[in-house]
Amino acid sequence: MAPLPMNDASVFIPRGHDVTLGVDNAASEEMKDFSYGTFHILRPNRPITLLLVFLSCAVGALLRTVLKETKVPILVVIFFIGLVIGIVAHFTHQLPFVKHIAEIDPVLFLHLFTPVIIFTASFEMDFYIFRKSFWQVLVLAVPGFLMNCGFLGWLTFKINKYNWSWDDSMLFGIILSTTDPILSVAAVKNIGLSKIVTNLIKGESLFNDATTVIIFELYRDLVHQSHQEVVKEIFVQLILKFFASIAFGFLSSKLVSYWLAHIFNDGIIEVILSFSMAYVIFFLAEWFGMSGVISLCMLGLLLDSVSFSPGMDAFLYKFWAMLTFLAHIMIYLIMGIVIAQKTFPYINTRGFFSVITVYLSLNLVRALVILTLSPFLSRLGYGFNWRWGAVLVWSGMRGTFTLNMALALSQTPSITAADLQVKTMILLHCGTASLLTLIINSTTVKKLVVTLGLCNITLPKRMAMHNAVQRIRQMEANAFSMLKLDRFLADANWTMAEDSMTIEYPYKLDTEEIRQLSKTLKCPDCDADIAFERSPQQIADIMEEARLRLLTAQIASYQKQYNSGMLNQEAAQTLIGAAESYVDIEGKFMNIHEVKTYWESKGMLVTMKKWLSDWVYNVKDETTKAPKNKFLRLCHQIVFMEEFEYISTMITYLNSVPIILNFITSVNAEYLPQLKMCNYYFLCLYIGEAALKALAMGRTYIYYHWNQFDLIVIVVGIIDVMIINLFKNMTPSYPMINTIRIFRFGRLLRVFRLFKLTLPTLIFVLDKQINKQLTFRYDIAKGYVQGEEDIKRLIEQISGHEKVYIEITKILEKNKQEAMKELGLMQRDYPEIVTAVKTRQAVQTVLNTASETLKFMISGGIVDRNEGAELHKVILVKKKHLAKLPPTIAPPTAQQLLHNVMWLQDNKNQIEFIQKKAKILYYDYGDIICEEGELPQGIHLIVSGMIKDWSYKLCAQYSNMYVVDVLNHTKCDIYDEAMDDVILVHGTVQDCQLGQRYCAPCILPKTCHQVQGTSPATKLLIIRSIEGGARKSTGTCFNVCQHHADRRCATLGQLFSMESRNRSSVANDLDYTYMSSQSHSVRKNKE
């Protein structure tokens, strides 16, 4: 075989090996030709490390798929894979990249993985729960951590068989005292454990990680380096690592929030910003000697899902969960390789028993520390009990920070072989301790929580789940009934389909629980089963469970309002936070009076503006009158010219230069005569200005606040000149010098004259901020009212008992009326602000409808996707311009409102006729407009203010009916648990799931759970269930059994089967039914 050309050949020669290529060796030439030559199958010098990174990610994804239903920790498997790779590389020289991985820089390791872990953990924390449990977290993270370090270091020093020094034992105790904030809560996050406990575990892990880094670096530096001023260095380090880090994290969160607020509907930029800023902030904090962990904790805690664009929360949480998973995969793979490479020669039977001892010791010490601190923890925050303590002890997983500090210690230079052995054994024991906590603690902590009864499913929760399962089963039955009539699916195997779709009850019930759920009585009229009366304690439990579910529904409502653009970011964060703060207050419902504290705390600007406005503008009207004397009138014209004010300001600016020079000692000594003459000159100018104003204004001169201030400046200046000349020829003494200095400082009063022209601008800025606060106040009240209306529809499904239903209804109605009163008072006091907010919300609503319409047309193929994208951009531009609407808009007049009355159709003749006949009436709060039984006195058009129904009575015949309007291309949810029938009385709708279209009048099938309006005006008649499961009667049968409900449905069927009526007449009758059910008594609520 001919030799290969050298320019086409490539050869890989491993380090430390001599390789001879012989051209006469045919096999070698063929191998070379096959590997590196013509065929190019195996390339040398490929980035194998990068390949290993992506292979580990793929293996992690595979293990997550295979082991998802098992209890085997994925990270343990990854660790053993890294261990095998490291051991194989220990016996062969063919894997040089493994040695490079084993020598990874600890600083790189810290900066690569820590930001992901810390930001994810802090971002997922509930800020309001953390705020209340802050002192508990602080006790556990600082004194608890220090006690843990001390006990574990002392125990290691006493029982270890490797002759470790006290310093080595203490470093070992510091490393093993930290816990991982992600791994510690991973096993207990979704098993029903209280959010208070999970936040306490995560908060303690986050803050003891920060404490660990500070104490570890400080102790290591003190041990390995000589220090002259130890106390001073410790003090500086604590200032930088704690207080400066908190300030830096807070400022960073404000910067990121400001940046996010100016990003409009671009999710990619927001995700990139959150990712990049987490690393940048961590890097900068560490670079400037601060704690990157504390700074990132502050950033994550002060940001939440509402800080980002609507709809971004789900994707954002998944993105950071993915990064966290990949980070842990890489951490444990690398540490498996590192431990195998560095500690393999030291592994023996003695080391195995030492590892078990270390594992038992760290759990025992942690339990002892928490037991010691429990008296303090029980008096702080949410309290504390022994069951919480047991979970807190057993959930302490050793993870990222333990491994990183052990790696950093092993990488420090060793002077002797014994020193190297100590560091290697510390690395081995820390790695195996982390592994054992994953193998034992993480797999058994769930069983511990269940055994301690911390995630027991209460009877109300089981009742709610029972009702939900029954609801799903009813939906299945209805769906199967309808699909059996489908022409394409009629011949399907329905028996198999029904068997495969059987929904089982997810909770395992014992005999007593089954008896509690199935307690029934017989109806005296028809022998139907009805609910049995619960005990007072059971009713109280049901009430509390209903309260918690209503709070969850309120939070969902506020989130929905924010996503639809009806609630701004600040108001949404406030309402969501307020609702979350009520979770731990048993029996407490969210009310508007306590929500008011969130905007009342921001009233300082109003007081400041009032004071400044009084200073600038609060003068008598007669000061503006020009005098009759010609000379005085000329003075008046000069004084009230803008140029006069500008000249006065320039004089003050010029005077500020010698004032400043007076306080510079060297300049004052050299140019004292010149500075003295400047003082006289400017004082004469001030006197001349005051005299000119006095001539122009006469006796009204003193009414101006600025004139009063000018007189003070002149008086102080004259006294200053008199004192200087009086003491000039006297022997200097300390009292004389101090007096001269005091009056020299009095010259600084002249500088405040510069604020004369800037105060109106400052008042304008304050007014703008006040308008924002008032808008914020109205948004909170409006969002609260909307939330109350949203959850009111869910009471019957949530309450679970008639007494609970009645009590909750009363509470919610009272809270809503109080909130409506606040809205009315705001509309009376700040009509311009309210009009601006309503205008913005009206535009937002129309734009949302336009977006829904566009989505409908794209999904139906009416509009091409490219064309739809262009239209979507236009709608987004309009939404962006909403921020440019003025903060205040004058409310419309009565004449302008007539043009917006729909039934007048902007007809000029009709509007003029009403203007001639109409008159404006004024009502105060509580005045009655009309009473039940009175003949109507005409049409009342509300120009400003609000009204409410004082005695709301529905028609007795149709007391469980109401009409819902569905706009074109908008969606409406129907057939919840409390609806018997939904009748389409006008227009057309389309089933969002099946695509079936329905025309009025018709009864919508119960397989429809969401419909979309497809006509300009669509009306649905909702018939509520009066025997809903949420309102179980007791003793006597107030409920109507299913047989009676079927009779009512039959009556409705007769209504639609009457041949003598056409569609139009039926719709008109139903519309009349709706109108006749309105209130007959209306009381004025607010003007």
Side-chain angles (χ1 to χ4, degrees):
M1 179 179 293
L4 292 173
M6 292 304 295
N7 57 347
D8 289 339
S10 56
V11 180
F12 171 43
I13 303 177
R15 295 182 180 179
H17 294 263
D18 295 326
V19 179
T20 304
L21 298 178
V23 294
D24 296 332
N25 191 326
S28 176
E29 287 296 331
E30 289 180 2
M31 187 63 185
K32 183 180 71 172
D33 188 40
F34 184 78
S35 300
Y36 307 132
T38 306
F39 300 102
H40 302 287
I41 292 179
L42 297 177
R43 292 282 188 178
N45 300 327
R46 297 295 95 184
I48 304 299
T49 305
L50 187 62
L51 176 62
L52 183 64
V53 170
F54 290 106
L55 279 177
S56 64
C57 295
V59 171
L62 177 64
L63 291 175
R64 188 179 176 92
T65 304
V66 175
L67 303 178
K68 191 172 185 179
E69 302 300 328
T70 67
K71 294 183 178 181
V72 179
I74 297 174
L75 298 182
V76 173
V77 179
I78 294 293
F79 183 88
F80 279 111
I81 291 175
L83 207 64
V84 170
I85 294 173
I87 293 173
V88 171
H90 189 77
F91 292 101
T92 180
H93 298 284
Q94 300 300 319
L95 301 174
F97 65 91
V98 175
K99 297 185 181 296
H100 294 301
I101 295 175
E103 297 297 330
I104 185 173
D105 185 5
V107 178
L108 174 63
F109 189 91
L110 176 73
H111 286 74
L112 192 60
F113 301 117
T114 303
V116 174
I117 306 297
I118 296 301
F119 182 79
T120 303
S122 57
F123 185 68
E124 291 178 350
M125 282 193 68
D126 191 315
F127 175 76
Y128 292 90
I129 293 179
F130 169 77
R131 185 172 63 180
K132 185 167 182 178
S133 60
F134 171 76
W135 292 109
Q136 290 177 304
V137 170
L138 194 64
V139 168
L140 288 169
V142 181
F145 171 79
L146 295 176
M147 291 171 62
N148 207 91
C149 295
F151 290 158
L152 198 56
W154 176 82
L155 191 62
T156 303
F157 181 71
K158 290 295 184 182
I159 67 175
N160 87 87
K161 303 298 182 181
Y162 299 105
N163 298 320
W164 290 357
S165 66
W166 171 255
D167 293 330
D168 295 330
S169 301
M170 282 302 301
L171 284 173
F172 183 68
I174 292 172
I175 294 172
L176 279 184
S177 296
T178 185
T179 54
D180 192 290
I182 298 294
L183 300 179
S184 296
V185 298
V188 297
K189 186 164 58 174
N190 298 318
I191 63 174
L193 184 64
S194 170
K195 289 177 66 176
I196 298 172
V197 183
T198 56
N199 275 271
L200 190 61
I201 295 171
K202 188 177 292 186
E204 185 231 354
S205 298
L206 278 172
F207 280 81
N208 76 16
D209 287 344
T211 309
T212 301
V213 174
I214 298 172
I215 300 300
F216 175 77
E217 293 179 355
L218 191 62
Y219 195 89
R220 184 185 59 180
D221 292 344
L222 292 175
V223 169
H224 294 93
Q225 299 177 15
S226 59
H227 296 266
Q228 302 296 329
E229 300 179 356
V230 177
V231 177
K232 181 180 177 180
E233 291 187 16
I234 292 176
F235 180 76
V236 171
Q237 286 289 326
L238 291 179
I239 293 294
L240 281 174
K241 297 287 186 181
F242 188 71
F243 297 104
S245 301
I246 291 176
F248 181 69
F250 176 79
L251 294 176
S252 301
S253 69
K254 294 302 179 183
L255 173 63
V256 174
S257 298
Y258 179 80
W259 195 341
L260 289 171
H262 289 77
I263 298 174
F264 185 76
N265 202 31
D266 196 332
I268 295 177
I269 294 179
E270 295 183 19
V271 172
I272 292 174
L273 179 62
S274 68
F275 175 72
S276 59
M277 290 305 292
Y279 276 90
V280 169
I281 290 169
F282 182 85
F283 182 87
L284 290 177
E286 293 289 331
W287 192 16
F288 289 108
M290 296 179 286
S291 171
V293 177
I294 293 181
S295 297
L296 268 189
C297 284
M298 290 298 299
L299 177 67
L301 284 170
L302 295 177
L303 293 180
D304 55 21
S305 60
V306 185
S307 302
F308 297 83
S309 295
M312 279 295 300
D313 51 344
F315 175 74
L316 202 64
Y317 282 121
K318 289 182 180 179
F319 173 78
W320 281 101
M322 180 266 295
L323 289 182
T324 305
F325 176 72
L326 295 180
H328 277 117
I329 291 292
M330 296 306 305
I331 288 169
Y332 278 86
L333 179 70
I334 293 173
M335 291 308 300
I337 293 174
V338 169
I339 290 176
Q341 283 284 299
K342 294 192 173 185
T343 67
F344 186 75
Y346 300 95
I347 297 176
N348 50 40
T349 307
R350 178 184 173 186
F352 173 77
F353 288 105
S354 179
V355 166
I356 300 299
T357 304
V358 168
Y359 170 75
L360 295 176
S361 299
L362 66 89
N363 284 286
L364 179 64
V365 169
R366 183 169 171 82
L368 180 63
V369 169
I370 291 179
L371 179 64
T372 305
L373 296 175
S374 58
F376 303 98
L377 297 174
S378 61
R379 289 169 172 80
L380 299 171
Y382 294 96
F384 199 75
N385 56 61
W386 68 271
R387 295 185 298 173
W388 288 13
V391 175
L392 204 62
V393 170
W394 203 244
S395 63
M397 311 297 169
R398 273 60 175 179
T400 306
F401 282 87
T402 297
L403 299 175
N404 181 73
M405 287 184 291
L407 178 64
L409 188 63
S410 68
Q411 298 280 22
T412 55
S414 301
I415 301 175
T416 62
D419 188 24
L420 176 63
Q421 181 181 7
V422 169
K423 294 175 181 177
T424 304
M425 294 307 297
I426 290 177
L427 175 64
L428 173 64
H429 285 80
C430 291
T432 52
S434 173
L435 194 65
L436 286 176
T437 56
L438 285 176
I439 295 174
I440 301 175
N441 294 46
S442 67
T443 56
T444 57
V445 67
K446 181 178 179 180
K447 182 66 176 178
L448 175 66
V449 171
V450 174
T451 303
L452 294 176
L454 291 175
C455 61
N456 285 344
I457 309 300
T458 61
L459 179 61
K461 289 184 179 180
R462 295 178 185 274
M463 291 175 60
M465 180 61 73
H466 178 77
N467 293 336
V469 171
Q470 295 301 319
R471 171 68 177 161
I472 294 174
R473 289 176 178 174
Q474 182 184 1
M475 180 274 298
E476 291 176 2
N478 294 335
F480 278 124
S481 299
M482 294 297 298
L483 292 176
K484 287 177 182 179
L485 301 176
D486 188 273
R487 57 176 177 170
F488 297 108
L489 303 177
D491 57 346
N493 190 331
W494 295 108
T495 302
M496 183 179 296
E498 290 173 354
D499 291 340
S500 63
M501 274 301 297
T502 303
I503 302 297
E504 301 295 338
Y505 189 72
Y507 298 143
K508 295 180 180 180
L509 300 176
D510 55 26
T511 306
E512 176 63 21
E513 290 170 337
I514 294 175
R515 187 179 68 84
Q516 290 289 339
L517 287 175
S518 59
K519 278 187 174 181
T520 56
L521 290 174
K522 293 294 182 180
C523 173
D525 296 330
C526 58
D527 289 336
D529 290 339
I530 60 174
F532 187 76
E533 176 64 40
R534 304 281 176 185
S535 66
Q537 183 58 44
Q538 289 177 337
I539 292 177
D541 293 340
I542 295 172
M543 183 73 176
E544 179 63 17
E545 182 64 28
R547 184 189 72 86
L548 295 175
R549 291 182 181 272
L550 285 176
L551 285 174
T552 303
Q554 280 179 311
I555 294 173
S557 174
Y558 303 146
Q559 188 73 48
K560 182 179 179 181
Q561 292 179 58
Y562 172 69
N563 292 337
S564 64
M566 304 306 293
L567 206 59
N568 64 33
Q569 184 184 96
E570 188 178 7
Q573 288 176 326
T574 301
L575 286 170
I576 291 172
E580 290 177 344
S581 66
Y582 280 85
V583 172
D584 62 299
I585 308 176
E586 186 173 352
K588 188 74 171 178
F589 286 83
M590 188 176 174
N591 61 78
I592 193 63
H593 294 297
E594 297 186 13
V595 175
K596 282 171 61 177
T597 58
Y598 290 94
W599 72 63
E600 287 177 347
S601 61
K602 298 187 176 185
M604 185 178 64
L605 294 180
V606 177
T607 305
M608 186 183 299
K609 180 200 168 185
K610 182 179 179 182
W611 184 81
L612 292 176
S613 299
D614 289 342
W615 179 268
V616 177
Y617 303 115
N618 190 14
V619 294
K620 293 186 177 180
D621 296 336
E622 61 183 19
T623 58
T624 60
K625 295 180 181 180
K628 296 180 180 180
N629 186 279
K630 291 183 179 181
F631 175 74
L632 297 181
R633 184 178 298 177
L634 177 62
C635 294
H636 186 275
Q637 292 175 355
I638 294 173
V639 166
F640 285 94
M641 290 173 61
E642 291 186 2
E643 291 80 359
F644 184 82
E645 292 296 336
Y646 293 144
I647 293 173
S648 176
T649 305
M650 288 300 299
I651 292 172
T652 307
Y653 273 117
L654 294 173
N655 192 17
S656 62
V657 176
I659 290 175
I660 295 172
L661 294 178
N662 269 308
F663 292 97
I664 302 176
T665 307
S666 58
V667 177
N668 185 32
E670 185 176 355
Y671 298 100
L672 181 60
Q674 292 84 351
L675 293 175
K676 187 183 298 184
M677 290 302 298
C678 287
N679 184 37
Y680 296 160
Y681 173 74
F682 284 108
L683 182 59
C684 292
L685 289 178
Y686 294 146
I687 294 173
E689 178 190 355
L692 190 60
K693 288 182 178 179
L695 290 173
M697 300 179 186
R699 60 190 179 89
T700 60
Y701 169 80
I702 200 64
Y703 294 147
Y704 278 92
H705 296 296
W706 277 115
N707 293 342
Q708 298 169 6
F709 182 75
D710 289 343
L711 289 177
I712 294 174
V713 169
I714 292 171
V715 170
V716 173
I718 292 174
I719 296 175
D720 179 26
V721 172
M722 292 175 61
I723 289 176
I724 291 175
N725 288 281
L726 182 64
F727 293 159
K728 181 171 60 175
N729 298 323
M730 295 184 181
T731 304
S733 62
Y734 284 108
M736 291 170 52
I737 295 173
N738 290 334
T739 305
I740 293 174
R741 287 176 177 174
I742 290 173
F743 280 94
R744 182 181 297 174
F745 277 104
R747 298 177 191 176
L748 292 174
L749 291 174
R750 304 176 188 180
V751 180
F752 288 98
R753 287 165 46 90
L754 296 175
F755 290 104
K756 189 173 183 179
L757 292 181
T758 58
L759 278 184
T761 304
L762 181 59
I763 292 173
F764 173 78
V765 173
L766 287 175
D767 191 60
K768 190 175 180 180
Q769 292 298 320
I770 290 170
N771 289 339
K772 288 183 180 180
Q773 290 184 3
L774 292 173
T775 302
F776 167 74
R777 172 180 173 181
Y778 186 85
D779 277 338
I780 285 183
K782 178 68 166 52
Y784 176 80
V785 171
Q786 184 61 50
E788 295 296 296
E789 292 178 352
D790 290 342
I791 65 175
K792 189 175 181 181
R793 305 189 189 107
L794 306 175
I795 300 177
E796 293 187 19
Q797 303 176 51
I798 292 176
S799 57
H801 197 276
E802 183 180 9
K803 291 183 178 180
V804 175
Y805 171 84
I806 294 173
E807 183 65 23
I808 291 179
T809 302
K810 289 180 180 179
I811 294 173
L812 294 184
E813 185 62 27
K814 179 182 177 183
N815 291 342
K816 179 185 173 182
Q817 294 300 331
E818 291 174 347
M820 292 294 290
K821 178 181 177 181
E822 289 295 328
L823 285 176
L825 292 175
M826 279 202 65
Q827 186 157 348
R828 181 194 66 184
D829 298 335
Y830 311 103
E832 296 84 2
I833 299 291
V834 174
T835 303
V837 174
K838 290 181 176 180
T839 303
R840 185 166 56 252
Q841 291 184 350
V843 177
Q844 182 69 55
T845 302
V846 175
L847 289 174
N848 290 341
T849 305
S851 298
E852 291 293 329
T853 304
L854 181 60
K855 291 179 183 178
F856 176 79
M857 291 190 293
I858 293 174
S859 62
I862 302 173
V863 176
D864 183 73
R865 290 192 177 274
N866 294 331
E867 298 170 351
E870 293 299 322
L871 288 174
H872 184 63
K873 290 180 181 178
V874 174
I875 295 174
L876 288 180
V877 170
K878 296 295 182 183
K879 288 185 176 181
K880 190 173 183 180
H881 288 168
L882 276 177
K884 298 181 181 179
L885 288 178
T888 57
I889 298 176
T893 62
Q895 290 76 15
Q896 292 173 336
L897 283 175
L898 291 176
H899 291 274
N900 298 323
V901 177
M902 294 297 298
W903 47 269
L904 288 178
Q905 299 180 348
D906 203 15
N907 187 289
K908 183 177 180 181
N909 295 329
Q910 294 179 6
I911 292 174
E912 290 178 352
F913 173 79
I914 290 183
Q915 286 179 344
K916 293 177 182 178
K917 300 292 183 180
K919 60 180 179 180
I920 297 180
L921 303 176
Y922 296 93
Y923 296 92
D924 197 1
Y925 174 75
D927 291 347
I928 297 175
I929 298 177
C930 62
E931 291 183 344
E932 184 178 2
E934 289 183 350
L935 293 176
Q937 301 298 318
I939 300 173
H940 288 82
L941 176 64
I942 303 175
V943 178
S944 66
M946 304 177 71
I947 64 169
K948 74 171 182 178
D949 297 331
W950 190 255
S951 56
Y952 187 74
K953 296 182 180 180
L954 294 176
C955 178
Q957 185 177 1
Y958 303 105
S959 59
N960 59 329
M961 297 183 182
Y962 62 91
V963 172
V964 173
D965 292 321
V966 182
L967 299 177
N968 193 15
H969 302 307
T970 59
K971 298 177 182 179
C972 177
D973 295 327
I974 60 174
Y975 282 121
D976 58 22
E977 190 176 347
M979 294 183 186
D980 276 350
D981 297 285
V982 179
I983 305 172
L984 178 61
V985 298
H986 183 73
T988 58
V989 295
Q990 182 179 10
D991 188 339
C992 293
Q993 183 178 5
L994 301 177
Q996 179 70 34
R997 294 176 64 88
Y998 301 97
C999 298
C1002 71
I1003 301 178
L1004 297 180
K1006 294 189 176 181
T1007 54
C1008 291
H1009 296 285
Q1010 190 180 59
V1011 293
Q1012 185 174 35
T1014 55
S1015 63
T1018 301
K1019 294 182 181 294
L1020 300 178
L1021 177 64
I1022 308 297
I1023 303 177
R1024 306 290 294 184
S1025 172
I1026 62 174
E1027 78 284 354
R1031 298 166 61 180
K1032 303 278 192 304
S1033 182
T1034 61
T1036 58
C1037 185
F1038 291 102
N1039 296 34
V1040 183
C1041 64
Q1042 183 62 39
H1043 172 68
H1044 300 145
D1046 293 339
R1047 290 180 60 187
R1048 186 179 66 256
C1049 291
T1051 303
L1052 289 171
Q1054 294 175 5
L1055 175 67
F1056 282 94
S1057 64
M1058 295 173 64
E1059 297 179 356
S1060 60
R1061 295 190 178 187
N1062 54 25
R1063 290 186 175 184
S1064 176
S1065 63
V1066 172
N1068 290 337
D1069 287 348
L1070 289 171
D1071 281 341
Y1072 174 76
T1073 300
Y1074 167 67
M1075 295 300 297
S1076 65
S1077 67
Q1078 299 305 304
S1079 172
H1080 300 288
S1081 175
V1082 181
R1083 182 183 292 268
K1084 184 69 178 176
N1085 185 16
K1086 299 164 190 69
E1087 184 177 273

